């Protein structure tokens, strides 16, 4: 498997066509997978905002005051309001904000970014990242690049571990997971639970090339990787009724 960065991309602005920008800079082959950082997808879709656009509710002010009191960190209540507006559910409100986005991803601050946002205060995640991925995939197909799945990526921390890794928040042209259940291991034992989240694994691999900070490259081509002859599924986010961690967080209270 090879990972090829798409170099030379300009600063993406609202209205830019990511498929066109990529197609001008790399020669894609059938079966390639294009990973695109959510930051440039959001910028192209105009998901930039200023904190003054968020009138502060009583709930947002309460959250900001409590974080400052308990964690000793000053939290702008307008930022807390932005998180509330972008969230389907707030799972933790102190000592930090952990939210479920409206498309099902759970992450700190509903994925709102305050870095690499020229001329604005914050950058919101794409509203529907899988639809964003499909638009990019279709745009590549219109330019003659067929059979090129697209994954929209973000970086996210993980429970029980330090550090962040690349994850998929949207995808198109391929299943999210590869189902090994019913197949046999090398000793002939039938696999009963193994469902491999390939979009997350490809996002994490691409993030090694994408990098972070000023030298980051927001798009990567994954080449010579095959899904294989397996069943697939798009069920990446756990259903609420089957998510024991979410249920535990709903009942948890910070005791600091």
């Amino acid at each position: 498997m090879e990972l090829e960065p798409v170099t030379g991309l300009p600063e993406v602005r609202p209205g830019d066509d990511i498929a066109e920008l990529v197609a001008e800079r790399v020669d894609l082959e059938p079966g390639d997978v294009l990973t695109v950082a959510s930051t440039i997808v959001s910028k192209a879709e105009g998901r930039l905002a200023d904190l003054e656009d968020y009138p502060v509710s009583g709930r947002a002010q309460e959250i900001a005051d409590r974080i400052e009191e308990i964690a000793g960190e000053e939290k702008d209540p307008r930022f807390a309001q932005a998180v509330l507006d972008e969230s389907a559910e707030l799972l933790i409100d102190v000592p930090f904000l952990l939210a479920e986005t409206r498309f099902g991803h759970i992450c700190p601050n509903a994925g709102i970014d305050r870095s690499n946002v020229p001329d604005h205060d914050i950058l919101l995640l794409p509203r529907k990242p899988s639809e964003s991925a499909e638009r990019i995939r279709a745009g590549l197909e219109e330019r003659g690049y067929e059979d090129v799945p697209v994954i929209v990526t973000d970086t996210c921390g993980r429970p029980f571990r330090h550090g962040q890794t690349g994850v998929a928040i949207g995808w198109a042209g391929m299943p999210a997971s590869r189902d090994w259940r019913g197949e046999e291991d090398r000793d002939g034992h039938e696999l009963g639970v193994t469902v491999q989240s390939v979009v997350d694994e490809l996002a994490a691999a691409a993030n090694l090339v994408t990098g972070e900070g000023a030298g980051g490259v927001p798009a990567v081509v994954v080449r010579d990787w095959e899904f294989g002859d397996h069943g697939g599924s798009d069920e990446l986010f756990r259903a609420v009724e089957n998510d024991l961690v979410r249920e535990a967080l709903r009942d948890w209270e910070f005791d600091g």
Side-chain angles (χ1 to χ4, degrees):
M1 186 176 80
E2 298 179 5
L3 301 169
E4 178 183 343
V6 180
T7 57
L9 288 168
E11 177 67 36
V12 173
R13 304 290 182 184
D16 282 350
D17 187 329
I18 292 177
E20 180 178 359
L21 293 175
V22 170
E24 291 173 346
R25 289 165 174 81
V26 67
D27 189 17
L28 296 166
E29 301 174 2
D32 286 350
V33 179
L34 175 67
T35 70
V36 183
S38 62
T39 50
I40 65 169
V41 176
S42 291
K43 289 177 180 179
E45 295 179 356
R47 295 282 284 159
L48 304 114
D50 294 310
L51 291 176
E52 65 183 19
D53 299 332
Y54 293 91
V56 177
S57 65
R59 174 69 170 135
Q61 187 65 59
E62 177 187 351
I63 289 171
D65 291 344
R66 190 158 182 247
I67 289 177
E68 183 172 359
E69 176 187 355
I70 293 177
E73 173 192 346
E74 185 176 354
K75 176 72 73 173
D76 191 325
R78 299 172 300 174
F79 185 83
Q81 186 63 54
V83 173
L84 289 173
D85 288 358
E86 290 297 309
S87 302
E89 181 179 5
L90 194 61
L91 296 172
I92 295 177
D93 59 9
V94 72
F96 64 95
L97 302 179
L98 182 68
E100 179 192 1
T101 67
R102 298 192 182 279
F103 57 86
H105 181 49
I106 295 177
C107 56
N109 297 327
I112 297 175
D113 199 347
R114 303 188 76 163
S115 60
N116 300 314
V117 191
D119 305 321
H120 292 276
D121 294 329
I122 56 176
L123 183 67
L124 314 176
L125 287 177
R127 292 185 188 278
K128 297 180 178 180
S130 286
E131 292 185 7
S132 303
E134 173 57 27
R135 282 192 292 271
I136 297 170
R137 189 207 63 77
L140 293 172
E141 188 173 66
E142 290 172 0
R143 291 164 175 82
Y145 294 118
E146 298 183 356
D147 190 24
V148 178
V150 174
I151 300 173
V152 177
T153 70
D154 197 16
T155 54
C156 192
R158 302 152 297 160
F160 316 117
R161 291 176 180 263
H162 290 294
Q164 294 184 316
T165 186
V167 296
I169 62 171
W171 57 93
M174 64 178 293
S177 62
R178 183 160 56 184
D179 194 343
W180 293 84
R181 291 173 297 182
E183 301 189 30
E184 294 183 350
D185 66 13
R186 66 181 63 186
D187 296 316
H189 301 299
E190 182 175 312
L191 300 173
V193 297
T194 304
V195 179
Q196 183 181 14
S197 177
V198 291
V199 289
D200 279 338
E201 291 183 325
L202 292 174
N207 196 57
L208 293 172
V209 177
T210 301
E212 303 287 346
V217 179
V220 173
V221 177
V222 181
R223 182 160 291 160
D224 294 333
W225 175 85
E226 294 184 1
F227 187 87
D229 186 18
H230 304 275
S233 170
D234 280 330
E235 294 182 3
L236 184 62
F237 303 117
R238 289 187 185 275
V240 174
E241 60 271 17
N242 298 325
D243 194 335
L244 298 180
V245 175
R246 187 197 305 244
E247 291 297 328
L249 287 174
R250 284 174 169 172
D251 296 333
W252 177 79
E253 292 186 8
F254 180 75
D255 184 16

